[in-house]
Amino acid sequence: MMAKLYRLLTADDTSEFCHKVSEALSKGWELYGDPAYGFDAANGVMRCAQAVTKDVPQDYSPDMKLGQQ
């Protein structure tokens, strides 16, 4: 059985965010929708978010470590 996994990657608006998304793409995750940006007033920085999905050949379990898939 196949499962579709979903992750929401977030980070400050720095190269760290781009590297996080690039790493996920290199592991077979696919972009899902547009990125989002917002101002984090408590920390005074812009924050980024990007949803990604991935089909895996196993049943979904809440115990899955999504970052290791």
Side-chain angles (χ1 to χ4, degrees):
M1 181 163 257
M2 294 289 287
K4 182 175 282 291
L5 305 181
Y6 172 91
R7 293 175 66 194
L8 182 64
L9 305 174
T10 63
D12 290 349
D13 187 12
T14 66
S15 63
E16 175 191 349
F17 175 73
C18 295
H19 287 289
K20 185 184 282 192
V21 174
S22 295
E23 180 182 21
L25 294 174
S26 74
K27 292 181 177 182
W29 291 84
E30 296 180 8
L31 299 177
Y32 183 82
D34 294 328
Y37 300 92
F39 184 67
D40 178 350
N43 294 303
V45 297
M46 289 297 291
R47 302 263 310 152
C48 303
Q50 174 65 59
V52 292
T53 62
K54 184 177 185 181
D55 292 321
V56 294
Q58 62 194 63
D59 289 336
Y60 170 75
S61 166
D63 297 327
M64 290 177 141
K65 303 289 186 206
L66 298 178
Q68 297 174 358
Q69 295 294 321

